[in-house]
Amino acid sequence: MAKFINIKSLAGELKRTEIRRGISYRLTTKEFILQREDQTYHILFDDIIGLIERDPAEWDERGTHKIITNKIQVYNRSGVFEKGATTFYASLSESFSKLLVHYLELSHPPA
């Protein structure tokens, strides 16, 4: 079993955790966390500027969702650092992605 690099504290209340293909996905009421064995990506909902569900027929097997952020916190064996604008792919289950969209909408209400 993979040993993930944990973050010290969560900003929100943990709502869901999934492990798929050796990658852990965690969702709280205020953040999304993607954990690989060598790195953990911590993304506050305020920093997510786009979430796009991809058509699997048009893409390879990198994942089903494209997540676009203006910044993220990256945890690795050397420490913690902030990275600017980032786009990455996550293979999320339908129920996880629906919950993610729900909490994103709560954190970004329409003007």
Side-chain angles (χ1 to χ4, degrees):
M1 179 158 201
K3 291 187 178 184
F4 300 113
I5 299 170
N6 284 316
I7 59 174
K8 300 226 184 254
S9 63
L10 301 175
E13 178 186 342
L14 184 62
K15 292 297 185 180
R16 188 169 180 118
T17 299
E18 286 186 3
I19 298 177
R20 301 169 70 90
R21 297 183 185 152
I23 299 172
S24 171
Y25 303 99
R26 297 170 73 188
L27 181 66
T28 78
T29 53
K30 297 185 180 197
E31 67 220 315
F32 173 72
I33 299 136
L34 185 150
Q35 297 177 287
R36 294 189 171 114
E37 190 169 333
D38 58 339
Q39 291 192 111
T40 293
Y41 304 95
H42 180 230
I43 306 106
L44 294 173
F45 290 156
D46 289 344
D47 297 324
I48 294 177
I49 54 178
L51 174 68
I52 301 165
E53 186 172 5
R54 301 182 332 160
D55 180 352
E58 296 177 11
W59 299 88
D60 60 19
E61 294 186 27
R62 289 186 294 177
T64 58
H65 292 79
K66 181 177 180 178
I67 301 171
I68 305 156
T69 69
N70 59 21
K71 70 178 176 181
I72 64 173
Q73 292 279 333
V74 179
Y75 293 70
N76 62 29
R77 307 271 181 234
S78 301
V80 181
F81 64 95
E82 189 171 290
K83 187 174 176 184
T86 305
T87 298
F88 61 95
Y89 301 91
S91 181
L92 305 175
S93 70
E94 184 176 342
S95 58
F96 191 103
S97 64
K98 284 181 180 179
L99 198 55
L100 173 58
V101 167
H102 170 75
Y103 285 111
L104 279 170
E105 288 174 344
L106 288 177
S107 70
H108 298 292

